[in-house]
Amino acid sequence: MALEVFPQSRLAAILESDLFYRFRTSYITVLAALVTLAIVLAAFLAPWIAPHDPFDVSTLSLWDSELPPVWAEGGDPRFLLGTDNQGRDVLSAILYGSRISLAVGFVSVALAMVIGIVVGLVSGYFGGAIDAFFMRIADVMLSFPTILVALLVSGIVRGALPREMHDSAALIVLVFAITITTWVQYARTVRSSTMVERSREYVYAAQLVGRRPFAILFSHILPNVMGPVLVIATINLAMAILIEATLSFLGVGMPPTNPSLGTLIRVGNEYLFSGIWWVVIFPSLTLVALVLAVNLLGDWLRDALNPKLR
């Protein structure tokens, strides 16, 4: 009986919480959450809901190339958003491309968050030479634009790898390039919060009972500094997707054989002035909708977790 009551009471507590009330009364936030959820689900379910497999060369036909959307003159009901110059269904390409963009965003944000949290906790708690070492590295990283560092890292890694490995390693290179440029924000935020929390009574109590420093960091301090980290992670997800799209658009991201949204926009941009507008417009709209929705969620979460605005 206790096992049945606990989930219901937890769910009821969430539904009655102030945070959920602020969420459901903000119609823009609800709309942003629905748009984000729809794109994420569509990308995750792409192998089952996509009308075609854009990566199966045997199903492509040049006779179906450059078809306009179904509502335009010359459109084909088989291809709702038209086809590109290879006869690839644009809708299916967007669904599969969104999977790659979201995968790069989520993995890079998760890695940057882990690195930043560990560095921030250690720097803020121990201070001294350790803090100075990590913060000087952070200062150096912050002195360069994110895109420039990502381009530099991508160029170095690609130069070190054989050409035949570029396409297969593109996803790893993107995740690494984005991670190394975004961990600093988490580290500096967690460091500042840790420096405040380490002087709290519960930390002194844990020290008195003989708990080890890392046990105090991850068991006691970490849960109290996660609020700002979640806000940064939400906003950085949109930024990571944009960085990936920018790198792919510049030709140093995902290859055309395994395209992300940025790659689709780059390929479609080459045919924009020849009248094949749908190849670049629809991936661009998908990218804009995803980034805007995630940013709106991040802004709402930042305001909702700010006690001064309650």
Side-chain angles (χ1 to χ4, degrees):
M1 180 64 68
L3 294 177
E4 297 179 357
V5 173
F6 178 75
Q8 295 179 359
S9 61
R10 177 63 63 87
L11 178 62
I14 294 175
L15 295 178
E16 295 175 0
S17 65
D18 178 64
L19 188 65
F20 183 77
Y21 173 79
R22 293 169 66 91
F23 171 77
R24 65 185 177 85
T25 54
S26 176
Y27 299 110
I28 295 180
T29 305
V30 173
L31 178 61
L34 291 176
V35 171
T36 303
L37 181 62
I39 295 177
V40 171
L41 286 178
F44 180 76
L45 299 175
W48 296 277
I49 66 175
H52 307 274
D53 185 353
F55 306 135
D56 188 357
V57 181
S58 63
T59 63
L60 302 181
S61 173
L62 291 179
W63 292 104
D64 297 326
S65 63
E66 301 181 4
L67 293 176
V70 66
W71 59 84
E73 183 180 356
D76 191 321
R78 294 177 299 162
F79 310 105
L80 296 180
L81 299 182
T83 60
D84 61 8
N85 62 315
Q86 300 178 10
R88 186 166 49 190
D89 180 41
V90 173
L91 175 59
S92 300
I94 290 175
L95 293 176
Y96 278 88
S98 299
R99 286 166 61 92
I100 298 175
S101 296
L102 287 168
V104 172
F106 279 116
V107 174
S108 60
V109 166
L111 290 177
M113 185 167 59
V114 171
I115 296 173
I117 288 174
V118 173
V119 171
L121 286 173
V122 172
S123 297
Y125 186 80
F126 293 103
I130 296 177
D131 180 39
F133 174 74
F134 283 122
M135 288 305 103
R136 295 302 74 77
I137 296 177
D139 291 339
V140 172
M141 296 300 301
L142 287 175
S143 63
F144 295 98
T146 302
I147 293 295
L148 180 61
V149 176
L151 282 172
L152 178 63
V153 171
S154 179
I156 293 175
V157 175
R158 287 175 177 273
L161 294 176
R163 183 175 295 273
E164 58 271 15
M165 294 182 60
H166 286 183
D167 290 352
S168 58
L171 184 64
I172 298 176
V173 172
L174 278 174
V175 170
F176 177 74
I178 297 173
T179 300
I180 201 173
T181 59
T182 54
W183 67 269
V184 178
Q185 301 178 44
Y186 302 98
R188 293 177 70 91
T189 301
V190 173
R191 171 183 175 269
S192 301
S193 300
T194 302
M195 294 177 68
V196 175
E197 294 295 325
R198 70 181 181 183
S199 60
R200 304 285 188 183
E201 288 80 3
Y202 69 88
V203 175
Y204 291 142
Q207 292 172 345
L208 287 174
V209 298
R211 298 220 66 183
R212 296 179 180 272
F214 282 96
I216 296 174
L217 285 176
F218 293 100
S219 299
H220 301 284
I221 296 180
L222 179 59
N224 291 291
V225 302
M226 283 300 295
V229 171
L230 294 177
V231 175
I232 296 175
T234 305
I235 297 175
N236 274 2
L237 175 61
M239 187 179 71
I241 294 173
L242 272 182
I243 294 174
E244 181 279 322
T246 302
L247 294 176
S248 297
F249 183 81
L250 295 174
V252 294
M254 298 302 298
T257 54
N258 194 21
S260 64
L261 291 177
T263 309
L264 293 175
I265 294 172
R266 176 174 64 84
V267 174
N269 186 61
E270 300 175 359
Y271 300 93
L272 179 61
F273 295 102
S274 62
I276 314 177
W277 53 267
W278 54 88
V279 181
V280 65
I281 291 298
F282 293 122
S284 300
L285 291 177
T286 304
L287 180 63
V288 169
L290 176 60
V291 172
L292 179 60
V294 174
N295 270 328
L296 288 174
L297 286 176
D299 290 341
W300 169 82
L301 189 61
R302 178 192 60 198
D303 295 340
L305 295 179
N306 189 350
K308 296 180 180 179
L309 298 178
R310 293 182 180 178

